[in-house]
Structure formats: C-alpha cells, structure tokens
C-alpha cells in the first residue's frame, strides 16, 4: 500500500535518489554543472571506428569549432550559475563528444586547468568505453583522490544489434571491460541509457536497466530519444521510419526502470534536454517539468519507489550506502 512506504532519508522525500540530494549530502553549498567544451572529436566521427557519429547525434558538424580557453569557459559558467545561486560551486562537465579522446598530456592540461579555477570543485567527464587506456585510468584514479570525479560512460543500450543500428561502434563487451577497469581503480561511474531507440521493445529497455542495476553504478542518466535537425535519424523520422515514444509510455517505462535499480544509484537525469533550436520530435519532451511531475505521480499511483524490485537490495555494497543507514 502507498501509505506503507517510508522513503530512505537520502531520497529527500522523493521516491528516487536524485542528483540534488546526492550533492546536498556531499557539499555544504549548492552545486551547479559548468558545461565545458574541450574541442574533442570521437572515434566514430573521425573514421577510427566509424564515421558520421551516432545516428541520433548532431556532433559531427561541430568538431572543428574553436572554443574559448577552459578558464574562460569555467568563469562564464560560474557567472551563469551564480545568477541563481550566488554562493554556488560548480563541477566542470566535459560533455560534448568523447572527452578522453586525446593524448594523455593534453587531457591532463585541460582537466588540471579547470581545477585551478576558483569555484570549480570537481570534474565530470563524458566518454566512450573504447577510449580509456590503462595510463589514462591510472591518472583518473589519482585525480579522483583529490577532487570529486565522475566518468560518464555512454552505454545507451546493452543490445549490440541496436548499437549497430545507431552506429555506436563499440560493443557491450568493450563497455563491460572499461567499467570493470574503472571500478577496480576506485573511480565513480555514471552510465547513460537511451529509451526509445529504433527497434527496441519496452522489455529490451528494461533488460538494459537490469544489466546496469547489476553493476551498481554510482550514477545513471536516463535519456529519451530525440530527433534533432542535422542528425542521421532526422531523415528516417521524416520518412516515417522511426516510431517515437508517447509521453505516457515513457513515464511508465522510466518508473519500471527505477524499480529495478539499486537505491544507492544516483539518478542524475530522468529525461534528456533536446536542443530546442534543433528538436524536431517528440514535441512533448519540451515540457520537462510535466515529464518529471508525471514520473512522481506514477510512482505514487503505483505505491512504488527506486529499488522496489532490485534483487540485491539486502546485499548492497556501494560507497554511498552509509547515508542510507
């Protein structure tokens, strides 16, 4: 019954473990995300593993752009964040493309420069499983001992046939190997999944969530497939070859995925933010507040919560388990 549910204190009254609550436990002030462009390419853009990039991505056209120095970007982002929260600190988020796809000296220079900016309290580095050399992992392990570090791994789906369909250009085996190496090095990982990829049933998406649950990652980002102008999928969508998820179906699926996940995994995103200038569909995704509110209401309607059906709840072993005691 609904009235029998008592959420863990770390949920902050919600029915899942949000990034806001996670950061509130770790830092004495509000934390924002400073989105930083490192000028990186990607191995399935430049021809190393493939060309054109993932089919939902518009990034292939932006690789050659020139960006301001890292320090200038950090300061600009801090200024933006502090308009809302004047005393906030920020995590420098290297987001676009593959942010470990460069020689190690260059990576060190970029990451270390970000950390010298007053107000930057950590790093979040988005990357692919096939761009994590042993030398880089060793450096990231050292980095994680002196700052708040998260490596964000784009899995998107566990199904290799879907991976081929979206031109991901690396396998589940490669992901699993990279995840194991990062975990052994003590590095916090946030995994990305995309719901609604062409050819996937709801059960396939739940299978991806079950697999991620078995890994017990520090964080998880759930995204919705967006059709963006300039992506390879845009043409297929216009031709009627891609069936997109309806809002109610997406909300129900996300709630079912949350039920499968460890309660210690931080839910860092529940729906993606498609670039409004490029977003073709689904149009309902523009109203993020409505989607998030719908997830809250559906969990309440079900009398459910993150981890309700997680098989390993009683044996959870996670660096954040202590805050649930």
């Amino acid at each position: 019954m609904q009235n029998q549910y008592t959420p863990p204190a770390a949920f902050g009254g919600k029915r899942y473990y949000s990034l806001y609550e996670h950061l509130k436990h770790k830092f004495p002030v509000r934390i924002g995300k400073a989105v930083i462009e490192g000028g990186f390419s990607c191995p399935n853009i430049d021809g190393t593993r493939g060309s054109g990039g993932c089919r939902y991505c518009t990034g292939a056209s932006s690789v050659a752009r020139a960006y301001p120095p890292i320090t200038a970007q950090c300061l600009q982002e801090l200024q933006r964040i502090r308009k809302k929260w004047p005393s906030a600190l920020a995590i420098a988020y290297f987001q676009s493309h593959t942010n470990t796809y460069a020689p190690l000296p260059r990576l060190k220079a970029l990451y270390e420069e970000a950390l010298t900016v007053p107000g930057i309290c950590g790093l979040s580095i988005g990357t692919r499983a096939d761009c994590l050399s042993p030398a880089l992992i060793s450096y990231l392990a050292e980095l994680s001992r002196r700052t708040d570090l998260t490596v964000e791994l784009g899995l998107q789906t566990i199904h290799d046939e879907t991976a081929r369909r979206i031109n991901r250009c690396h396998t589940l085996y490669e992901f699993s190997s990279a995840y194991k190496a990062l975990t052994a090095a003590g590095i916090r990982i946030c995994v990305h999944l995309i719901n609604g990829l062409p050819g996937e049933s709801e059960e396939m998406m739940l299978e991806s969530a079950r697999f991620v649950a078995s890994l017990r990652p520090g964080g998880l980002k759930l995204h919705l497939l967006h059709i963006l102008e300039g992506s390879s999928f845009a043409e297929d969508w216009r031709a009627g070859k891609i069936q997109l998820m309806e809002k109610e179906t997406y909300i129900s699926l996300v709630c079912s995925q949350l039920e499968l996940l460890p309660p210690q995994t931080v839910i860092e995103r529940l729906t993606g933010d498609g670039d409004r200038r490029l977003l073709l569909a689904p149009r309902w995704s523009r109203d993020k507040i409505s989607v998030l509110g719908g997830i809250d209401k559906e969990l309440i309607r079900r009398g459910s919560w993150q981890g309700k059906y997680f098989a390993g709840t009683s044996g959870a072993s996670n660096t954040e388990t202590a805050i649930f005691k």
Side-chain angles (χ1 to χ4, degrees):
M1 297 290 291
Q2 174 185 328
N3 59 9
Q4 294 178 326
Y5 169 66
T6 302
F11 282 16
K14 296 187 79 68
R15 291 177 176 250
Y16 58 88
Y17 188 23
S18 70
L19 180 61
Y20 169 76
E21 291 297 330
H22 166 71
L23 293 174
K24 189 170 75 172
H25 283 289
K26 294 193 73 172
F27 295 95
V29 296
R30 188 66 185 246
I31 304 297
K33 283 286 186 78
V35 179
I36 306 300
E37 293 282 358
F40 294 98
S41 182
C42 183
N44 71 339
I45 288 178
D46 69 7
T48 301
R49 297 293 298 265
S51 60
C54 295
R55 296 199 64 205
Y56 51 78
C57 181
T58 62
S61 62
S62 65
V63 169
R65 292 180 189 170
Y67 297 101
I70 298 299
T71 297
Q73 291 187 57
C74 288
L75 291 174
Q76 184 176 5
E77 282 289 274
L78 280 164
Q79 184 179 38
R80 174 187 63 81
I81 291 164
R82 285 172 173 169
K83 286 181 180 178
K84 188 172 184 179
W85 305 300
S87 61
L89 301 176
I91 293 169
Y93 181 18
F94 288 83
Q95 180 182 32
S96 296
H97 308 304
T98 303
N99 293 272
T100 60
Y101 190 48
L104 185 54
R106 182 186 173 216
L107 297 176
K108 287 183 176 181
L110 295 175
Y111 304 157
E112 298 292 346
E113 180 179 352
L115 290 174
T116 65
V117 178
I120 297 297
C121 63
L123 297 174
S124 189
I125 301 169
T127 191
R128 292 163 53 94
D130 56 355
C131 294
L132 290 160
S133 68
L136 173 58
I137 291 175
S138 179
Y139 165 66
L140 292 174
E142 184 271 324
L143 196 59
S144 72
R145 291 190 286 270
R146 54 186 171 91
T147 194
D148 188 84
L149 174 68
T150 297
V151 171
E152 302 201 16
L153 278 183
L155 174 59
Q156 322 311 0
T157 175
I158 66 168
H159 304 286
D160 282 340
E161 65 269 30
T162 306
R164 288 188 290 272
R165 196 176 297 123
I166 66 175
N167 197 43
R168 189 180 68 190
C169 296
H170 68 78
T171 64
L172 179 61
Y173 177 81
E174 288 174 291
F175 171 88
S176 299
S177 297
Y179 189 96
K180 182 178 180 180
L182 289 168
T183 300
I187 297 167
R188 183 179 187 270
I189 305 166
C190 177
V191 178
H192 291 222
L193 291 177
I194 296 179
N195 289 322
L197 292 171
E200 290 214 343
S201 65
E202 289 185 43
E203 180 53 37
M204 291 173 73
M205 298 175 226
L206 290 173
E207 287 173 1
S208 289
R210 290 188 190 98
F211 174 82
V212 172
S214 73
L215 300 176
R216 305 173 188 260
L220 174 65
K221 288 186 176 180
L222 292 172
H223 300 263
L224 166 70
L225 175 64
H226 292 107
I227 304 300
L228 302 177
E229 188 67 77
S231 70
S232 174
F233 273 156
E235 184 177 344
D236 286 353
W237 174 75
R238 288 192 174 99
K241 297 178 181 178
I242 295 180
Q243 184 73 30
L244 297 176
M245 297 187 79
E246 298 293 336
K247 178 181 176 181
E248 294 74 17
T249 303
Y250 182 79
I251 287 172
S252 177
L253 173 68
V254 166
C255 291
S256 296
Q257 290 174 318
L258 288 172
E259 291 171 338
L260 299 172
L261 297 168
Q264 296 84 11
T265 291
V266 181
I267 307 304
E268 301 200 14
R269 186 179 293 275
L270 283 173
T271 180
D273 295 315
D275 189 328
R276 287 177 174 267
R277 299 166 300 174
L278 302 175
L279 181 66
L280 298 174
R283 306 295 285 184
W284 59 259
S285 67
R286 287 173 172 261
D287 191 352
K288 185 176 180 179
I289 292 176
S290 175
V291 177
L292 295 177
I295 291 168
D296 289 339
K297 289 176 183 176
E298 176 63 11
L299 288 171
I300 292 170
R301 188 195 69 78
R302 295 185 184 191
S304 195
W305 58 89
Q306 178 184 339
K308 182 176 183 180
Y309 300 126
F310 175 56
T313 299
S314 61
S317 59
N318 187 289
T319 56
E320 295 162 333
T321 299
I323 67 174
F324 288 81
K325 293 181 179 179

